[in-house]
Short mmCIF file of all heavy atoms in Angstrom, two decimals:
data_model
loop_
_atom_site.label_atom_id
_atom_site.label_comp_id
_atom_site.label_asym_id
_atom_site.label_seq_id
_atom_site.Cartn_x
_atom_site.Cartn_y
_atom_site.Cartn_z
N GLU A 20 76.98 102.16 125.30
CA GLU A 20 77.01 103.41 126.06
C GLU A 20 78.41 103.75 126.54
O GLU A 20 79.12 102.89 127.05
CB GLU A 20 76.07 103.32 127.25
CG GLU A 20 74.61 103.36 126.88
CD GLU A 20 73.73 103.31 128.11
OE1 GLU A 20 74.16 103.76 129.18
OE2 GLU A 20 72.60 102.79 127.98
N ALA A 30 86.00 100.63 113.92
CA ALA A 30 85.16 99.47 113.57
C ALA A 30 84.65 99.58 112.14
O ALA A 30 84.65 98.58 111.40
CB ALA A 30 84.00 99.36 114.56
N ALA A 45 86.20 85.45 97.92
CA ALA A 45 85.06 84.62 97.50
C ALA A 45 85.17 84.15 96.06
O ALA A 45 84.70 83.07 95.72
CB ALA A 45 83.76 85.40 97.70
N LEU A 49 88.21 81.00 91.55
CA LEU A 49 87.44 80.89 90.30
C LEU A 49 87.99 81.83 89.24
O LEU A 49 88.08 81.48 88.06
CB LEU A 49 85.97 81.19 90.56
CG LEU A 49 85.26 80.26 91.55
CD1 LEU A 49 83.88 80.81 91.90
CD2 LEU A 49 85.19 78.86 91.00
N ARG A 52 91.19 80.37 87.66
CA ARG A 52 90.92 79.30 86.71
C ARG A 52 90.29 79.83 85.45
O ARG A 52 90.65 79.42 84.35
CB ARG A 52 90.03 78.25 87.38
CG ARG A 52 90.78 77.61 88.56
CD ARG A 52 90.22 76.34 89.06
NE ARG A 52 90.17 75.33 88.00
CZ ARG A 52 89.25 74.39 87.97
NH1 ARG A 52 88.32 74.33 88.88
NH2 ARG A 52 89.26 73.50 87.00
N GLY A 56 93.30 79.97 82.99
CA GLY A 56 93.25 78.57 82.62
C GLY A 56 94.06 77.65 83.52
O GLY A 56 94.54 76.62 83.08
N PRO A 59 93.25 73.23 89.03
CA PRO A 59 92.91 73.48 90.45
C PRO A 59 94.11 73.50 91.39
O PRO A 59 94.15 74.30 92.33
CB PRO A 59 91.95 72.35 90.79
CG PRO A 59 91.37 71.92 89.50
CD PRO A 59 92.44 72.14 88.46
N SER A 68 99.40 80.50 98.91
CA SER A 68 100.58 81.35 99.10
C SER A 68 100.16 82.77 99.49
O SER A 68 100.75 83.39 100.38
CB SER A 68 101.43 81.39 97.82
OG SER A 68 101.91 80.12 97.51
N PHE A 75 101.16 86.09 107.62
CA PHE A 75 102.53 86.31 108.10
C PHE A 75 102.89 87.79 108.18
O PHE A 75 103.55 88.22 109.12
CB PHE A 75 103.55 85.59 107.21
CG PHE A 75 104.97 85.96 107.53
CD1 PHE A 75 105.57 85.48 108.69
CD2 PHE A 75 105.69 86.82 106.72
CE1 PHE A 75 106.87 85.83 109.02
CE2 PHE A 75 106.99 87.18 107.04
CZ PHE A 75 107.58 86.69 108.19
N ASP A 85 105.87 99.73 115.40
CA ASP A 85 106.69 100.11 116.57
C ASP A 85 107.66 101.21 116.21
O ASP A 85 107.98 102.05 117.06
CB ASP A 85 107.46 98.89 117.09
CG ASP A 85 106.56 97.90 117.82
OD1 ASP A 85 105.45 98.28 118.23
OD2 ASP A 85 106.98 96.73 117.95
N ILE A 95 98.67 103.78 105.61
CA ILE A 95 99.48 103.31 104.48
C ILE A 95 98.96 101.94 104.02
O ILE A 95 98.89 101.65 102.83
CB ILE A 95 100.97 103.26 104.86
CG1 ILE A 95 101.50 104.68 105.03
CG2 ILE A 95 101.79 102.52 103.81
CD1 ILE A 95 102.88 104.77 105.66
N ALA A 118 101.45 91.13 91.29
CA ALA A 118 101.80 92.37 91.99
C ALA A 118 100.63 92.81 92.89
O ALA A 118 100.83 93.24 94.03
CB ALA A 118 102.16 93.48 91.01
N SER A 124 98.41 91.70 100.23
CA SER A 124 98.92 91.01 101.42
C SER A 124 99.78 91.93 102.27
O SER A 124 99.68 91.91 103.51
CB SER A 124 99.68 89.75 101.02
OG SER A 124 100.76 90.03 100.19
N VAL A 136 95.38 97.28 117.88
CA VAL A 136 96.16 98.00 118.89
C VAL A 136 95.57 99.39 119.12
O VAL A 136 95.47 99.85 120.25
CB VAL A 136 97.66 98.08 118.48
CG1 VAL A 136 98.42 99.00 119.42
CG2 VAL A 136 98.27 96.70 118.44
N THR A 144 92.98 104.66 129.60
CA THR A 144 92.67 105.48 130.78
C THR A 144 91.83 104.68 131.77
O THR A 144 91.03 103.83 131.36
CB THR A 144 91.90 106.76 130.38
OG1 THR A 144 90.67 106.38 129.76
CG2 THR A 144 92.73 107.61 129.42
N ALA A 148 88.83 101.77 131.01
CA ALA A 148 89.40 100.43 131.04
C ALA A 148 88.33 99.34 131.20
O ALA A 148 88.44 98.27 130.60
CB ALA A 148 90.43 100.32 132.15
N SER A 153 83.81 95.07 126.07
CA SER A 153 82.64 95.33 125.22
C SER A 153 83.04 96.05 123.94
O SER A 153 82.43 95.85 122.89
CB SER A 153 81.57 96.12 125.98
OG SER A 153 82.07 97.37 126.41
N ILE A 176 77.62 91.02 91.98
CA ILE A 176 78.26 92.02 91.11
C ILE A 176 78.76 91.35 89.84
O ILE A 176 78.60 91.89 88.74
CB ILE A 176 79.41 92.74 91.86
CG1 ILE A 176 78.84 93.64 92.95
CG2 ILE A 176 80.28 93.53 90.91
CD1 ILE A 176 77.97 94.77 92.47
N TYR A 179 75.73 90.66 87.72
CA TYR A 179 75.24 91.91 87.14
C TYR A 179 76.10 92.32 85.94
O TYR A 179 75.56 92.76 84.91
CB TYR A 179 75.24 93.02 88.21
CG TYR A 179 74.86 94.37 87.67
CD1 TYR A 179 73.51 94.68 87.43
CD2 TYR A 179 75.82 95.33 87.38
CE1 TYR A 179 73.16 95.92 86.93
CE2 TYR A 179 75.47 96.58 86.88
CZ TYR A 179 74.14 96.86 86.65
OH TYR A 179 73.78 98.07 86.14
N ALA A 190 85.73 88.23 82.28
CA ALA A 190 85.96 89.65 82.53
C ALA A 190 85.11 90.18 83.69
O ALA A 190 85.48 91.15 84.35
CB ALA A 190 85.67 90.46 81.28
#
Side-chain angles (χ1 to χ4, degrees):
E20 288 182 28
L49 299 171
R52 297 197 58 211
S68 298
F75 171 73
D85 286 341
I95 292 169
S124 59
V136 172
T144 61
S153 61
I176 290 296
Y179 175 79

